[in-house]
């Protein structure tokens, strides 16, 4: 008998679906022909199939969904007044003349949706009219599905806050009133189902009620499930959600896998966290109901139930849970670490992030504690923070490392222990060394420089007043940056050197030897460490930088009265200068040789009380520079068939004038006069290539000589014999 009943129900369902499809075909043909009259006729006949009382709720739902799909297409036709030629107000009146009440109300709800969208009438008036008119259907199953259709068609047209349908006449309270009234009428139909019919069919009615209740969870309409959950969260007050949290969350894992449950739960957590932030006095209530534990458990069950959920969905849920913990329980670092631990477990299951959205969510997750506490030291206390960083791909790791460094620099946070530095540099290792599979050759040069400059600035934020601890910090940093590779060392070694020199000056006057297992913080031992550090630069094609750092260390060692140490640094500098930088006269290009040689003249004339004043050596440098300039001019003549610019001669002339004014007896007016005549000859030569910059430079120099002659005084008399 049961089997026969099931077979009959299947036959009735098939007949109903066939009837819907038959009338829908003619309805579509009428719509294509812009024939409103026939479209209404066949749509009403199609909807008449929903008047059946032979189907159980499950089977009726299948029939309802067939009609629902067709009504969505009909609604598009109703929207386009240019096709059917009837105003939406007249159409709203016209559909009320359908013969049977159930098709009439389905059509009325469909046109009502278009009527609200047109904004020709206040949304609250149309909604009130529809919710009242639907009372005409008192059959429990048919009435419940009709009101479900009303809720679905109006869900995006409620006068909510910020909605386009919110206005002077419509408020969010009108939306709440509509939803509650519709829900109340549905509840009445639910109760009527229990009381309907004689006692012998009570068991059947209870079964039907159970089917309808389960339909919310077991139906295949994912949009309907999402909408129902969303309505519950939006309609009921915060304190209600807090007290019924366990019941609401218990339904989440039972929803269809395709339901956007992450958005539903995120909205719920946002509401509760906003509630806690606006009413601090309710925080004990959050602890009493164990809100965090329940939310965490529910999220775990949802992720476990929805095995096909993308990783971005799971991480989005963790971000919302972490935000909830930070806003409601900011002092509970164990809650924060717990959420990070859940994320670590998920990343272990799916090690590869699927797209940029997942990457952004991971960055948001790791950034949240930094933004909340404004202190990287708090994040360093979270055991799962570095574990997530280890699970990131190279690019995401570098992005997050930059976020961490920027947080430190922005909040001016000093890292004051070697242990903290060790954890920090493990977090940002993507910026200080090549990770597996990564190469600096593939990096964008501008991005790479920005990253390394940030690391260099970070080094100056590592500081402790205690010399012993500071030396440990320096040693820890050195351990990490020395494996950075040839492109990184020129950025990271200099700040480390200057940080160590700052410690040396702090210890000025102290000295000592290595004692025991630990290296004491003494200038001598720090200089030894620096010598080894700078030496690495000379082997990565940065000899000029290494030379400057050697000289800085030599100066600091001299200030500490460590003459042997200073001598060693100077020796290293001179060796580097000879072997890597080369002597000035050995530069490859003649103009560079010339400029380097005349610059060396200043080494032999230092203009202070105890300075060196060797006029002969100055003159030798300038004469040698003239010979190199002349050779450069001849080479240019051979290469281009004409003489090159006379800029080098003018530059040397200015050096002659400088030392002439400083009182170098070897620099005479006659020598200057000869050089002026030489330059004039070169400028006026027909073979010389015209060069406006060189001509302007020479003219400016001659004006200066003339100005000095006119100025008078002792200097004017010195310039007087010079003819320009």
């Amino acid at each position: 008998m049961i089997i026969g009943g099931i077979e009959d129900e299947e036959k009735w369902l098939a007949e109903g679906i066939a009837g819907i499809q038959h009338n829908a075909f003619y309805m579509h043909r009428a719509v294509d022909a812009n024939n409103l009259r026939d479209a209404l006729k066949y749509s009403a006949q199609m909807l008449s199939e929903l008047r059946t009382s032979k189907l159980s709720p499950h089977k009726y739902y299948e029939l309802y969904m067939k009609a629902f799909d067709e009504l969505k297409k009909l609604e598009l036709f109703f929207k386009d007044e240019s096709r059917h030629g009837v105003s939406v107000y007249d159409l709203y009146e016209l559909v009320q003349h359908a013969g049977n009440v159930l098709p009439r109300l389905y059509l009325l709800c469909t046109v009502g949706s278009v009527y609200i969208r047109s904004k020709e009438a206040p949304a609250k008036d149309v909604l009130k009219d529809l919710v009242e008119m639907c009372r005409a259907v008192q059959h429990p199953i048919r009435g419940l599905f009709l009101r479900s259709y009303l809720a679905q068609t109006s869900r995006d047209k409620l006068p909510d806050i910020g909605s386009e349908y919110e206005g002077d006449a419509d408020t969010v309270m009108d939306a709440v009133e509509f939803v509650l009234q519709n829900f109340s009428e549905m509840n009445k139909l639910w109760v009527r189902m229990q009381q309907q019919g004689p006692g012998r069919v009570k068991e059947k009615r209870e079964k039907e009620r159970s089917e309808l209740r389960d339909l919310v969870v077991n139906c295949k309409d994912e949009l309907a499930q999402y909408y129902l959950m969303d309505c519950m969260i939006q309609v009921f007050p915060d304190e209600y959600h807090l007290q019924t949290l366990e019941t609401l969350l218990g339904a989440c894992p039972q929803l269809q896998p395709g339901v956007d449950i992450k958005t539903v739960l995120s909205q719920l957590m946002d509401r509760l966290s906003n509630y806690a932030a606006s009413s601090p006095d309710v925080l004990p209530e959050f602890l009493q109901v164990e809100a965090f534990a329940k939310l965490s458990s529910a999220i775990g069950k949802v992720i476990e139930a929805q095995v096909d959920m993308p990783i971005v969905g799971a991480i989005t849920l963790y971000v919302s849970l972490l935000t909830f913990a930070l806003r409601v329980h900011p002092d509970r670092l164990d809650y924060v670490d717990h959420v990070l631990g859940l994320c670590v477990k998920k990343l272990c299951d799916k090690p590869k992030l699927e797209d940029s959205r997942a990457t952004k969510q991971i960055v948001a997750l790791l950034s949240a504690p930094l933004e909340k506490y404004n202190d990287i030291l708090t994040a360093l206390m979270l055991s799962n923070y570095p574990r997530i960083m280890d699970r990131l791909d190279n690019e995401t790791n570098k992005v997050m490392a930059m976020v961490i460094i920027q947080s430190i620099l922005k909040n001016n946070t000093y890292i004051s222990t070697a242990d903290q530095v060790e954890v920090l540099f493990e977090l940002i290792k993507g910026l200080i060394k090549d990770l597996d599979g990564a190469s600096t050759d593939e990096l964008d040069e501008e991005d790479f420089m920005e990253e390394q400059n940030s690391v260099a600035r970070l080094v100056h934020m590592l500081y402790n007043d205690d010399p012993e601890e500071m030396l440990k910090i320096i040693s820890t940093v050195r351990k990490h940056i020395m494996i950075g590779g040839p492109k990184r060392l020129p950025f990271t070694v200099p700040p480390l050197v200057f940080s160590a020199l700052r410690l040396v000056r702090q210890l000025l006057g102290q000295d000592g030897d290595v004692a025991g297992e630990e290296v004491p913080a003494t200038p001598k031992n720090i200089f030894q460490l620096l010598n080894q550090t700078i030496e690495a630069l000379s082997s990565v094609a940065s000899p000029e930088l290494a030379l400057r750092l050697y000289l800085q260390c030599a100066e600091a060692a001299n200030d500490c009265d460590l003459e042997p140490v200073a001598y060693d640094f100077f020796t290293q500098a001179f060796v580097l200068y000879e072997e890597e930088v080369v002597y000035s006269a050995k530069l490859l290009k003649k103009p560079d040789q010339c400029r380097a040689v005349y610059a060396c003249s200043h080494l032999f004339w230092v203009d202070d009380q105890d300075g060196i004043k060797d006029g002969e050596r100055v003159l030798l440098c300038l004469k040698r520079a003239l010979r190199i300039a002349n050779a450069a001019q001849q080479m240019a003549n051979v290469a281009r068939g004409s003489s090159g610019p006379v800029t080098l001669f003018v530059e040397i002339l200015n050096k002659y004038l400088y030392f002439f004014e400083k009182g170098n007896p070897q620099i005479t007016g006659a020598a200057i006069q000869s050089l002026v005549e030489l330059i004039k000859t070169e400028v006026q030569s027909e073979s010389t290539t015209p060069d406006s910059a060189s001509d302007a430079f020479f003219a400016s120099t001659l004006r200066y000589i003339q100005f000095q002659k006119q100025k008078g005084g002792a200097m004017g008399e010195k310039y007087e014999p010079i003819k320009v």
Side-chain angles (χ1 to χ4, degrees):
M1 181 176 178
I2 296 177
I3 297 178
I6 294 175
E7 290 178 348
D8 288 341
E9 196 172 25
E10 291 289 346
K11 182 184 70 172
W12 294 328
L13 175 61
E15 291 175 353
I17 291 176
I20 287 178
Q21 291 174 336
H22 174 78
N23 288 289
F25 171 79
Y26 288 103
M27 181 189 76
H28 291 160
R29 194 160 71 173
V31 167
D32 292 339
N34 296 329
N35 187 331
L36 177 62
R37 180 178 177 181
D38 284 353
L40 290 176
K41 171 186 171 183
Y42 289 112
S43 61
Q45 292 176 7
M46 174 188 73
L47 292 167
S48 293
E49 299 294 339
L50 295 176
R51 297 174 63 207
T52 180
S53 301
K54 298 178 180 180
L55 301 176
S56 68
H58 271 299
K59 299 301 181 183
Y60 189 89
Y61 173 76
E62 293 185 42
L63 190 67
Y64 163 80
M65 286 307 299
K66 292 291 183 183
F68 179 81
D69 290 339
E70 299 300 335
L71 284 174
K72 289 194 292 185
K73 302 171 186 175
L74 184 64
E75 183 178 356
L76 295 176
F77 175 61
F78 288 159
K79 286 180 183 178
D80 194 349
E81 185 178 328
S82 63
R83 294 181 61 187
H84 52 72
V86 177
S87 69
V88 66
Y89 173 78
D90 292 337
L91 188 60
Y92 190 70
E93 295 292 329
L94 182 62
V95 296
Q96 298 186 42
H97 296 290
N100 292 306
V101 64
L102 190 64
R104 179 195 314 156
L105 290 174
Y106 272 104
L107 290 173
L108 192 64
C109 290
T110 305
V111 178
S113 172
V114 178
Y115 197 10
I116 296 173
R117 191 182 296 276
S118 71
K119 300 180 183 178
E120 294 183 14
K124 69 173 184 179
D125 293 345
V126 179
L127 292 173
K128 184 177 181 180
D129 189 36
L130 292 174
V131 79
E132 292 288 345
M133 295 280 276
C134 287
R135 286 181 176 177
V137 178
Q138 290 298 306
H139 186 281
I141 295 180
R142 295 199 292 265
L144 282 168
F145 277 94
L146 172 64
R147 289 194 173 275
S148 174
Y149 178 71
L150 172 60
Q152 286 179 292
T153 56
S154 60
R155 68 183 185 277
D156 58 345
K157 304 173 187 70
L158 300 178
D160 196 1
I161 296 176
S163 164
E164 61 177 302
Y165 304 104
E166 180 189 23
D168 296 336
D170 302 325
T171 66
V172 68
M173 292 309 300
D174 295 317
V176 172
E177 183 179 349
F178 164 74
V179 173
L180 289 178
Q181 186 176 355
N182 196 45
F183 183 79
S184 175
E185 293 296 331
M186 293 175 78
N187 191 54
K188 291 177 183 178
L189 292 170
W190 179 278
V191 174
R192 183 175 292 113
M193 181 178 290
Q194 184 182 23
Q195 306 300 328
Q196 181 175 289
R200 65 178 182 273
V201 297
K202 182 176 181 181
E203 183 178 345
K204 178 184 177 183
R205 295 305 177 198
E206 282 299 313
K207 180 182 178 183
E208 289 181 346
R209 277 166 47 85
S210 177
E211 286 181 350
L212 276 174
R213 181 187 63 202
D214 295 340
L215 193 60
V216 174
V217 172
N218 296 328
C219 73
K220 297 179 182 179
D221 182 18
E222 297 164 351
L223 182 62
Q225 289 188 357
Y226 169 77
Y227 177 64
L228 178 61
M229 294 296 292
D230 184 58
C231 282
M232 292 181 65
I233 291 173
Q234 298 299 332
V235 169
F236 293 103
D238 298 322
E239 54 270 23
Y240 177 86
H241 286 314
L242 192 59
Q243 294 300 325
T244 61
L245 192 58
E246 187 170 0
T247 303
L248 178 60
L249 294 176
C252 294
Q254 304 176 50
L255 300 176
Q256 286 293 309
V259 175
D260 187 12
I261 192 62
K262 70 178 186 302
T263 303
V264 172
L265 287 174
S266 295
Q267 290 176 347
L268 176 62
M269 286 184 278
D270 287 344
R271 281 202 61 172
L272 291 177
S273 59
N274 289 333
Y275 177 47
S278 61
S279 307
D281 54 322
V282 303
L283 291 180
E285 194 173 348
F286 276 83
L287 292 172
Q288 183 179 357
V289 301
E290 299 180 331
F292 176 81
K294 290 176 180 177
L295 287 168
S296 178
S297 175
I299 288 173
K301 290 177 181 178
V302 166
I303 293 175
E304 183 179 350
Q306 299 192 3
V307 293
D308 295 329
M309 176 185 287
I311 192 170
V312 64
I315 297 173
T316 300
L317 285 172
Y318 294 143
V319 171
S320 297
L321 182 60
L322 183 65
T323 303
F324 174 85
L326 290 172
R327 297 187 66 183
V328 180
H329 308 289
D331 56 330
R332 294 295 299 266
L333 287 181
D334 55 326
Y335 285 176
V336 177
D337 208 29
H338 172 73
V339 179
L340 296 179
L342 295 176
C343 187
V344 170
K345 182 179 179 181
K346 189 64 179 178
L347 291 174
C348 289
D349 296 338
K350 294 184 177 180
K352 290 188 177 181
L353 299 179
E354 296 158 346
D355 52 30
S356 60
R357 295 179 303 151
T359 299
K360 290 179 181 177
Q361 288 299 318
I362 283 286
V363 172
L365 182 80
L366 293 173
S367 300
L370 302 180
E371 295 171 358
K372 176 65 178 180
Y373 300 115
N374 291 326
D375 184 6
I376 186 63
L377 299 178
T378 303
L380 296 180
M381 296 168 60
L382 302 170
S383 62
N384 287 306
Y385 202 97
R387 295 178 63 196
I388 294 183
M389 293 287 290
D390 286 339
R391 293 288 173 182
L392 303 181
D393 60 82
N394 293 343
E395 285 303 313
T396 310
N397 188 292
K398 287 169 60 179
V399 169
M400 197 58 229
M402 283 294 288
V403 171
I404 292 173
I405 293 177
Q406 289 164 1
S407 173
I408 294 174
L409 298 176
K410 176 184 175 182
N411 297 300
N412 204 31
T413 304
Y414 282 92
I415 315 300
S416 57
T417 70
D419 291 339
Q420 291 172 343
V421 172
E422 180 69 37
V423 176
L424 174 62
F425 273 63
E426 277 297 317
L427 292 180
I428 64 169
K429 60 186 176 184
L431 298 181
I432 58 179
K433 69 177 182 178
D434 293 337
L435 299 178
D436 294 340
S439 172
T440 54
D441 296 334
E442 302 172 359
L443 300 176
D444 180 87
E445 192 66 27
E446 186 175 342
D447 291 343
F448 179 77
M449 291 181 65
E450 180 183 358
E451 292 168 359
Q452 297 310 303
N453 283 325
S454 296
V455 175
R457 293 176 62 195
L458 173 67
V459 173
H460 295 295
M461 304 303 295
L462 316 175
Y463 181 74
N464 193 306
D465 288 331
D466 177 48
E468 295 293 334
E469 188 64 31
M470 187 62 201
L471 182 57
K472 291 179 182 179
I473 291 175
I474 292 171
S475 300
T476 302
V477 175
R478 182 181 182 276
K479 178 187 71 174
H480 285 277
I481 68 172
M482 293 307 287
I483 59 175
K487 292 190 69 174
R488 291 187 177 88
L489 287 178
F491 291 92
T492 53
V493 167
L496 177 62
V497 170
F498 285 105
S499 181
L501 290 179
R502 178 171 62 177
L503 177 58
V504 167
R505 290 186 169 86
Q506 180 182 343
L507 298 168
L508 194 61
Q510 296 184 22
D511 195 3
D513 298 319
V514 176
E517 296 182 358
E518 294 188 353
V519 179
T522 64
K524 181 181 290 187
N525 292 319
I526 295 172
F527 283 128
Q528 183 179 358
L529 188 69
L530 288 176
N531 200 350
Q532 300 168 359
T533 304
I534 300 172
E535 187 178 1
L537 283 178
S538 60
S539 62
V540 295
S542 296
E544 295 88 352
L545 179 58
L547 173 64
R548 291 196 293 271
L549 294 178
Y550 275 135
L551 294 176
Q552 290 284 345
C553 292
E555 181 184 16
N558 183 65
D559 292 341
C560 295
D561 294 329
L562 295 174
E563 184 177 338
V565 177
Y567 180 83
D568 185 52
F569 277 117
F570 274 123
T571 301
Q572 295 282 358
F574 280 119
V575 170
L576 197 61
Y577 181 72
E578 291 184 16
E579 295 181 355
E580 301 291 341
V581 181
V582 307
Y583 293 114
S584 60
K586 293 183 179 180
L587 293 173
L588 295 178
K589 297 180 181 180
K590 290 294 182 182
D592 292 341
Q593 287 183 20
C594 177
R595 292 186 173 100
V597 169
Y598 73 58
C600 287
S601 62
H602 290 280
L603 296 174
F604 307 105
W605 192 277
V606 181
D607 193 28
D608 57 31
Q609 186 175 358
D610 301 321
I612 300 172
K613 290 184 173 60
D614 189 341
E616 287 287 346
R617 299 296 295 271
V618 170
L619 183 59
L620 285 174
C621 287
L622 296 181
K623 285 183 176 181
R624 186 168 187 182
L626 276 172
R627 288 197 298 271
I628 297 173
N630 187 57
Q633 189 78 349
Q634 292 176 0
M635 290 177 63
N637 186 35
V638 172
R640 297 192 298 268
S642 62
S643 298
V646 297
T647 304
L648 290 175
F649 292 115
V650 182
E651 291 175 6
I652 296 171
L653 171 61
N654 277 268
K655 290 297 178 184
Y656 267 88
L657 296 175
Y658 173 80
F659 290 111
F660 179 67
E661 292 183 356
K662 292 299 181 182
N664 186 336
Q666 305 300 322
I667 307 299
T668 64
I672 294 174
Q673 184 68 55
S674 298
L675 186 51
V676 170
E677 296 300 329
L678 172 64
I679 297 173
K680 286 182 176 180
T681 302
E682 289 291 335
V683 170
Q684 295 169 2
S685 173
E686 293 182 358
S687 61
T688 301
T689 303
D691 184 85
S692 57
S694 296
D695 294 345
F697 188 12
F698 182 48
S700 178
T701 303
L702 295 181
R703 284 197 301 272
Y704 175 77
I705 295 173
Q706 189 65 36
F707 170 75
Q708 291 289 51
K709 292 173 65 175
Q710 294 174 354
K711 188 170 65 171
M715 188 58 67
E717 292 178 1
K718 286 186 65 175
Y719 271 97
E720 193 60 40
I722 302 175
K723 308 297 182 184
V724 295

